[in-house]
Amino acid sequence: MTAPLFFADDLAGARVGDRVLLAGDEGRHAATVRRLKVGEPIQLADGAGLVLSGVVASVDGPSLQVRVERVRREPDPAPSFTLVQALAKGDRDDQAIEAATELGVDTIVPWQADRSIVQWRGPRGDRALAKWRGVVRAAAKQSRRATIPVVEPAMDTKGLARRTSSGRLTLVLHEEATTPIAAVDLPADGEVAVVVGPEGGISPAELGALTGAGAISVRLGSTVLRSSSAGPAALAVLLARTRWDVAQPIE
């Protein structure tokens, strides 16, 4: 079983043999919720790829000291994967971004699609964005990821079309598409974006705007998936073709 991972700031410069303090919410979780004991293995990550592996050296109330035994940095992902997730009702979009994070997505873009019932405006939008970032951080921690995916501010279809036209390979999941996602040629590096519509589907105008900007309409299979499962399913197909066969797990 892999050692539990916790996120911490100011890890840069740490060397083997150093003692690093884990305090705050993460220290409290490690010391009082997980009840880690002296000598137990632990990992600390900065959320940007730096990982310290070591053992608990001491526990002091809601914090603990970690003796560093190994320092490593995760390589930049190639290619990187982005999930463009349409806002959905209930907690379906939360489910989608949580699973996508566990699978290995690198960036998440909330999409205010035409048929999205949920609207992110003003303070409500700020709270919703903060919630998504919290969901992603928790999922990264649970899955022992060294990096926390970036959650960008929400954008509308015009913004998404501009993003698509910048040269990224963008795959739009659509039930009427004829190209299987497994048949698309993938780049060795750069970014691959997967666009998932809301429960009501992607409108013809939206599909036209995105494909007109260079996106490719693709399908997963013969069934129609919910917005909560379509993105993770597509990412699993793409990651299996690229990074999963060479990725090294966190120890």
Side-chain angles (χ1 to χ4, degrees), residues 19-242:
R19 290 197 176 195
V20 176
L21 175 67
L22 181 63
D25 291 340
E26 290 288 84
R28 187 175 301 107
H29 186 204
T32 65
V33 178
R34 291 295 300 266
R35 297 183 181 276
L36 294 183
K37 306 298 183 184
V38 172
E40 290 192 272
I42 187 174
Q43 298 180 97
L44 304 182
D46 66 352
L50 179 64
V51 185
L52 310 182
S53 301
V55 296
V56 177
S58 64
V59 180
D60 183 13
S63 65
L64 49 78
Q65 292 271 352
V66 176
R67 185 173 71 251
V68 180
E69 296 183 337
R70 185 185 178 196
V71 179
R72 65 188 179 87
R73 180 171 290 280
E74 290 282 292
D76 293 335
S80 67
F81 289 99
T82 295
L83 173 63
V84 179
Q85 178 69 43
L87 306 184
K89 62 184 178 180
D91 61 353
R92 287 173 181 161
D93 45 17
D94 289 355
Q95 295 172 15
I97 63 174
E98 180 180 57
T101 299
E102 294 173 357
L103 289 167
V105 76
D106 304 293
T107 304
I108 293 172
V109 179
W111 176 30
Q112 188 73 67
D114 290 345
R115 294 173 178 170
S116 291
I117 296 175
V118 176
Q119 300 289 318
W120 282 15
R121 294 195 180 98
R124 177 180 180 179
D126 294 338
R127 291 193 298 270
L129 180 60
K131 180 185 177 183
W132 274 37
R133 288 172 173 165
V135 169
V136 164
R137 181 184 177 90
K141 178 179 176 180
Q142 184 277 329
S143 56
R144 315 291 203 270
R145 286 191 57 170
T147 57
I148 301 172
V150 174
V151 181
E152 296 184 359
M155 62 175 57
D156 58 15
T157 302
K158 288 183 179 179
L160 183 55
R162 287 194 297 270
R163 196 180 194 280
T164 300
S165 65
S166 63
R168 300 171 171 87
L169 173 59
T170 301
L171 307 177
V172 181
L173 301 185
H174 197 273
E175 61 187 272
E176 296 179 1
T178 58
T179 301
I181 192 171
V184 176
D185 290 333
L186 299 177
D189 53 21
E191 180 186 3
V192 179
V194 176
V195 180
V196 179
E199 293 295 341
I202 297 174
S203 72
E206 288 173 322
L207 184 61
L210 295 176
T211 55
I216 301 172
S217 179
V218 298
R219 63 175 174 82
L220 277 171
S222 59
T223 59
V224 178
L225 303 183
R226 287 188 179 275
S227 60
S228 57
S229 55
L235 287 168
V237 172
L238 298 173
L239 286 161
R241 294 177 56 194
T242 54

